[in-house]
């Protein structure tokens, strides 16, 4: 099972691990899978949702609950879906670059 650990998500998004865990508790649509050892594994889609939450909370000044409601409304709105899909695609490509850089740095170690 592959995915991003909570530490990697913290580095990628700039959101602290305790806030990520709180958002998981508060938002029903943010539920990372767990590994056999019980560690969280975030998908590209999870990271996309986290970035959107971060924008709504930090830039638009929504509460966490309000941001969650807005995200649900955005996901239901067909007009926004094209832009959201394009942004998600770009973010996925960047996450793939991040994964590649991680592999390269791991293989470069003596």
């Amino acid at each position: 099972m592959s995915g991003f650990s909570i530490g990697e998500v913290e580095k990628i998004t700039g959101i602290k691990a305790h806030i990520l865990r709180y958002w998981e508790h508060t938002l029903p649509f943010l539920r990372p899978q767990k590994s056999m050892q019980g560690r969280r594994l975030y998908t590209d889609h999870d990271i996309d949702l986290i970035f959107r939450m971060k924008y709504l909370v930090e830039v638009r000044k929504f509460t966490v609950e309000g941001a969650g409601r807005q995200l649900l409304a955005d996901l239901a709105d067909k007009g926004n879906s094209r832009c959201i899909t394009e942004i998600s695609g770009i973010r996925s490509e960047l996450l793939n670059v991040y994964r590649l850089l991680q592999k390269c740095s791991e293989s470069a170690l003596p």
Side-chain angles (χ1 to χ4, degrees):
M1 183 181 275
S2 66
F4 294 97
S5 70
I6 197 166
E8 289 174 316
V9 174
E10 186 176 2
K11 287 178 190 175
I12 292 167
T13 64
I15 302 294
K16 299 286 185 188
H18 70 278
I19 295 172
L20 292 170
R21 288 189 294 271
Y22 173 73
W23 284 1
E24 289 171 27
H25 179 72
T26 307
L27 306 168
F29 50 83
L30 184 59
R31 296 280 185 253
Q33 294 182 7
K34 301 252 176 135
S35 70
M36 297 297 280
Q37 296 82 23
R39 293 189 175 131
R40 291 167 172 83
L41 294 174
Y42 293 85
T43 64
D44 292 357
H45 179 71
D46 293 329
I47 293 174
D48 188 40
L49 291 174
I50 292 166
F51 271 118
R52 290 165 60 194
M53 279 294 296
K54 179 179 179 178
Y55 168 76
L56 291 171
V57 170
E58 292 182 359
V59 176
R60 301 274 313 275
K61 304 299 182 194
F62 279 74
T63 64
V64 171
E65 293 79 11
R69 286 191 298 273
Q70 182 63 46
L71 265 178
L72 287 174
D74 289 348
L75 293 171
D77 183 10
K78 301 293 185 204
N80 283 336
S81 65
R82 188 175 139 251
C83 290
I84 290 170
T85 302
E86 287 182 30
I87 291 170
S88 295
I90 292 167
R91 190 167 286 132
S92 289
E93 289 179 32
L94 290 172
L95 290 172
N96 287 334
V97 170
Y98 175 82
R99 284 185 186 110
L100 181 62
L101 289 172
Q102 290 295 102
K103 286 180 184 179
C104 289
S105 67
E106 290 172 3
S107 64
L109 295 176

